[in-house]
């Protein structure tokens, strides 16, 4: 299987630079192009590795587009938007929402997925103890419960609309209904119940390493040796040690079972890490975080690991740094919640809790990335599930429907809301 | 999840002073208690017009009355001025660390704090006697001007979370850190960084001589809630909640005119009666499609891969198969 070939290639090619090496090794080693057709039984023609049985790593599957090994982010809807999952060796950057309510959820889904699949976890935080973070992970939904959750939503939709037979627009009965819920073709990920905690025995059975910055930092204020902030240097050393000692970069060939290391770093760039990009615009160490990301990506590319990082980009004062962070990461997802903004009371957005922006998708061994055609995505935290849906604006039946775009509609609805008649008339439509 | 609610007093008639005192004493405790309920960092943002030191002193008095230990780091005003207005029982409970008189430790006396402001803060982190404690920082602006922002943020975080560090079996004791921040002195960066650390954030403003506090509660992993409270502080630093500013020149809509119904005096009929609705439903549509043809078009059968033309010849149609252009000599 190409997955095992990729893993073997990662182990042997220690000096291959970046993802290009990984991809070319896959292309060289696998004589067949990667298709979704999977042969049952052991591979008759041993392309490499002699007669040894190549076992695939739990929780991963090769991508059907470019052969990269993919892992799930914990949310199957997000996996589908990112092209099937996160590629091993890449970095997922999440831009936090303003009050930091929904980005910890994505962080926890990622870690919970690692525990379910038996991956090793590395959790780093400056605000909370990693042990406390692990206690708050969501519980996995078993298959029949999960179907019940989705079933009741789908039933509600279907019963309300099946009675109406259209008389004039009867040709539209043939068109399929818009799928609002998550559609996943092959189930790489699991569903989680956000209202319940993960059972304690699952946490104890898993292997995890924690990095809590106030514990690791020495109490004296010491000078920074190089231009990286002290906290970042320590974190990089910690990650490097774990990768080396546990053999994720192939340095311990006696390891019988290959596994993935899931790294999660919370609130990177906030002042609690010692970085002042959130405090001032002209900061002394403006390149500290960018250098950290560069070194981290090098570590990720040469090992079997995936990393998720949450950054409070709404606090960063210098916008150029945000652009640099986006360029230095592989996949970038931005969360924008409606709390506190004017959209909270806008009736157009009342079904959703915020918007989700897929800002960047990596081009690994491809000329084009796997960008989905849906640009307007919104998320909603139901009592148990976190769903991502296409943003449906309801049809506007007012007289401006043929004249203004969707954005204009949203604006005009907001302006009419507070009841200032003078303001609304001036901006939107022409009145003959 | 909790919905945000507003307690604005706009629209009420002006209260007589005795009424407001009686009404205020019940809710006064609510406001101060709710500010101190969440624990952690309480950030008071004031400005030149609406000062926050009196609210800080009101909170200190409340904590002292509740029996907590109170430590004060005074940087901006002298100790005598700060202790003014408190009675002696409260004053005896306050532990004052003075950074105003000698911030750079020039007099080299024993009573100066070692290590400057950072040393003083770190010393407060390592408290040994148990019990709930309140630490008041007057003010955070002074500390921001003397310390780097990241160091201050890290120290504040360590201050407000020190109860979770020791592994002994004592119950969780709340640490309240009250910080006064003059938001006009700083740019959006430090203010944003500090407000992201705070569990409760109070922004002081007001209109027409009446102070108001806009309070934002950030409970962990829940939606933040807002509250706006009009108040004034009495000379003995107790809080007097008000209904709102006095409304003198606010136009309100005339409640006597009923809303106009535009459908009453029309020359045409906008509503359908039941018989009319039935007649409308049973009307055949003008394009003369029968329902069989409609079904046939909806469910394409096996012989309908190509489209069909339904031709009904008219009386004037010429069914001659000859090509009329045959006699042209082309």
């Amino acid at each position: 299987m190409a997955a095992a070939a990729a893993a073997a290639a990662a182990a042997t090619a220690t000096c291959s630079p970046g993802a290009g090496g990984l991809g070319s090794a896959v292309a060289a080693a696998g004589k067949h192009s990667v298709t979704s057709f999977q042969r049952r039984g052991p591979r008759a023609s041993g392309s490499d590795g002699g007669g040894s049985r190549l076992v695939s790593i739990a929780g991963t599957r090769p991508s059907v587009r470019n052969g990269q090994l993919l892992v799930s982010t914990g949310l199957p809807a997000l996996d589908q938007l990112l092209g099937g999952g996160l590629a091993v060796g890449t970095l997922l950057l999440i831009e936090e929402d303003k009050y930091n309510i929904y980005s910890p959820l994505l962080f926890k889904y990622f870690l919970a997925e690692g525990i379910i699949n038996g991956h090793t976890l590395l959790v780093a935080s400056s605000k909370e103890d990693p042990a406390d973070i692990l206690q708050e992970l969501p519980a996995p939904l078993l298959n029949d419960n999960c179907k019940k959750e989705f079933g009741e939503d789908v039933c509600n939709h279907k019963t309300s609309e099946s009675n109406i037979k259209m008389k004039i627009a009867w040709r539209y009965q043939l068109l399929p209904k818009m799928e609002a819920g998550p559609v996943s073709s092959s189930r790489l990920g699991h569903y989680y119940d956000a209202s319940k905690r993960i059972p304690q025995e699952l946490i104890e059975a898993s292997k995890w390493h924690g990095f809590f910055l106030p514990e690791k930092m020495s109490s004296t204020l010491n000078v920074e040796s190089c231009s990286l902030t002290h906290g970042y240097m320590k974190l990089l050393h910690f990650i490097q040690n774990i990768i080396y000692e546990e053999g994720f970069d192939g340095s311990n060939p006696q390891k019988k079972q290959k596994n993935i290391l899931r790294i999660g770093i919370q609130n990177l760039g906030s002042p609690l890490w010692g970085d002042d990009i959130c405090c001032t615009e002209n900061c002394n160490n403006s390149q500290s975080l960018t250098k950290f990301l560069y070194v981290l990506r090098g570590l990720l590319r040469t090992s079997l690991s995936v990393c998720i990082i949450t950054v409070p980009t709404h606090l960063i004062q210098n916008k150029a740094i945000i652009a640099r962070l986006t360029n230095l990461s592989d996949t970038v997802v931005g969360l924008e919640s409606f709390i506190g903004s004017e959209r909270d009371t806008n009736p157009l957005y009342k079904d959703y809790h915020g918007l989700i922006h897929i800002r960047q998708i990596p081009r690994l061994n491809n000329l084009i990335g796997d960008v989905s055609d849906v640009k307007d995505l919104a998320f909603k935290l139901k009592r148990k599930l976190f769903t991502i849906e296409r943003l449906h604006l309801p049809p506007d039946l007012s007289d401006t429907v043929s004249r203004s775009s969707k954005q204009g509609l949203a604006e005009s609805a907001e302006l009419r809301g507070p009841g200032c008649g003078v303001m609304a008339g001036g901006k939107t439509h022409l009145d003959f | 999840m909790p919905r945000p609610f507003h307690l604005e007093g706009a629209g009420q008639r002006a209260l007589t002073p005795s009424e407001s005192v009686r009404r205020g004493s019940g809710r006064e405790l609510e406001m101060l208690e709710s500010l101190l309920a969440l624990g952690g960092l309480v950030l008071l943002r004031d400005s030149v017009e609406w000062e926050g030191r009196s609210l800080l002193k009101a909170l200190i008095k409340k904590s002292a009355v509740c029996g907590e230990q109170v430590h004060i780091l005074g940087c901006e005003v002298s100790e005598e001025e700060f202790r003014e207005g408190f009675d002696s029982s409260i004053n005896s409970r306050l532990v004052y660390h003075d950074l105003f008189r000698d911030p750079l430790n020039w007099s080299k006396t024993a009573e100066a704090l070692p290590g400057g402001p950072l040393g003083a803060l770190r010393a407060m982190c390592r408290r040994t006697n148990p019990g709930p404690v309140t630490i008041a920082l007057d003010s955070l602006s002074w500390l921001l001007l003397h310390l780097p922002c990241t160091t201050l943020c890290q120290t504040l975080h360590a201050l407000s979370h020190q109860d979770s560090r020791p592994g002994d079996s004592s119950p969780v004791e709340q640490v309240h850190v009250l910080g006064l921040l003059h938001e006009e002195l700083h740019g959006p960066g430090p203010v944003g960084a500090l407000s992201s650390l705070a569990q409760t954030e109070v922004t002081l403003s007001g209109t027409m001589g009446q102070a108001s506090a806009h309070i934002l509660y950030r409970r962990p992993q829940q939606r933040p809630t807002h509250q706006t409270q009009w108040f004034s502080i009495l000379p003995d630093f107790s809080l007097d909640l008000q209904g709102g500013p006095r409304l003198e020149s606010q136009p309100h809509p005339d409640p006597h005119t009923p809303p106009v119904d535009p459908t009453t005096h029309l020359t045409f009929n906008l509503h359908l009666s039941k018989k009319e609705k039935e007649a409308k439903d049973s009307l055949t549509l003008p394009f003369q499609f029968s329902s069989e043809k409609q079904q046939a078009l909806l469910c394409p059968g096996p012989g309908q891969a190509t489209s069909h033309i339904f031709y009904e010849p008219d009386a004037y149609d010429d069914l001659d198969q000859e090509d009329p252009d045959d006699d042209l000599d082309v």
Side-chain angles (χ1 to χ4, degrees), chain B residues 80-269:
Chain B
E80 297 83 22
E81 189 181 334
F82 196 87
R83 285 188 187 263
E84 200 180 309
F86 289 136
D87 52 359
S88 56
S89 64
I90 296 180
N91 260 327
S92 57
R93 286 181 173 275
L94 304 181
V95 178
Y96 199 88
H97 308 265
D98 194 358
L99 274 176
F100 175 74
R101 263 186 31 178
D102 195 4
L104 297 175
N105 196 15
W106 282 344
S107 55
K108 301 229 185 330
T109 56
E111 60 188 51
L113 296 167
L118 192 57
L121 283 175
R122 289 206 171 127
M124 282 198 235
C125 287
R126 291 186 294 266
R127 61 184 181 110
T128 49
N129 35 358
V133 73
T134 298
I135 300 171
L137 301 172
D138 176 25
S139 62
L140 281 174
S141 293
W142 193 93
L143 291 172
L144 267 178
L145 294 173
H146 287 77
L147 296 174
C149 184
T150 55
T151 318
L152 182 63
C153 288
Q154 284 170 327
T155 319
L156 279 179
H157 184 72
L159 260 184
S160 37
H161 289 264
Q162 54 181 305
D163 50 351
S164 55
R165 282 298 91 222
D168 52 2
S169 59
S170 59
V172 171
E173 288 140 6
Q174 281 202 332
V175 178
H176 301 106
V177 181
L178 312 173
L180 183 63
L181 185 70
H182 308 302
E183 56 182 359
E184 292 166 331
L185 292 180
H186 307 284
V191 174
L194 284 175
S195 70
S196 68
L197 281 182
Q199 265 74 47
T200 316
E201 194 181 320
V202 184
T203 308
L204 293 167
S205 59
T207 58
M208 294 190 287
Q210 186 69 258
S212 75
H214 181 80
I215 310 174
L216 177 72
Y217 299 99
R218 282 186 187 206
R219 292 182 186 86
Q221 291 160 20
Q222 282 183 32
R223 285 174 65 117
T225 50
H226 298 259
Q227 191 183 350
T228 305
Q229 213 46 294
W230 299 88
F231 69 100
S232 68
I233 300 201
L234 304 173
D236 67 339
F237 295 111
S238 54
L239 209 63
D240 179 26
L241 293 180
Q242 308 275 332
R246 233 141 289 144
L247 318 155
E248 278 148 13
S249 53
Q250 275 200 19
H252 28 245
D254 193 356
H256 297 302
T257 59
V260 178
D261 186 15
T263 59
T264 42
H265 298 296
L266 292 172
T267 54
F268 46 87
N269 190 15

Side-chain angles (χ1 to χ4, degrees), chain A residues 12-50:
Chain A
T12 52
T14 48
C15 58
S16 58
L22 211 66
S24 58
V26 169
K31 294 190 184 55
H32 316 273
S33 64
V34 178
T35 61
S36 48
F37 168 71
Q38 296 189 0
R39 194 181 303 181
R40 256 179 295 163
R43 203 169 216 202
S45 66
S47 54
D48 52 20

Side-chain angles (χ1 to χ4, degrees), chain A residues 284-360:
Chain A
N284 302 332
N285 286 341
S286 60
Q287 287 146 15
S288 180
L289 182 57
T290 47
K291 283 190 186 172
F292 172 83
L293 282 184
Y294 186 71
V295 177
L296 177 68
R297 224 167 51 143
L299 282 176
L300 292 177
R301 291 286 198 265
T302 53
S303 62
L304 285 175
S305 45
V306 197
C307 184
I308 186 174
I309 288 183
T310 68
V311 175
T313 48
H314 56 96
L315 289 179
I316 294 181
Q317 300 296 310
N318 191 355
K319 302 302 171 196
I321 296 184
I322 303 178
R324 281 177 214 155
L325 295 182
T326 307
N327 289 338
L328 279 172
S329 320
D330 296 305
T331 316
V332 182
V333 171
L335 290 175
E336 181 192 337
S337 78
F338 292 152
I339 302 172
S341 72
E342 64 274 6
R343 289 179 178 167
D344 203 6
T345 45
N346 194 341
L348 294 172
Y349 295 118
K350 68 172 164 48
D351 284 333
Y352 303 107
H353 289 144
L355 299 177
I356 185 166
H357 305 280
I358 311 280
R359 304 217 195 262
Q360 178 172 286

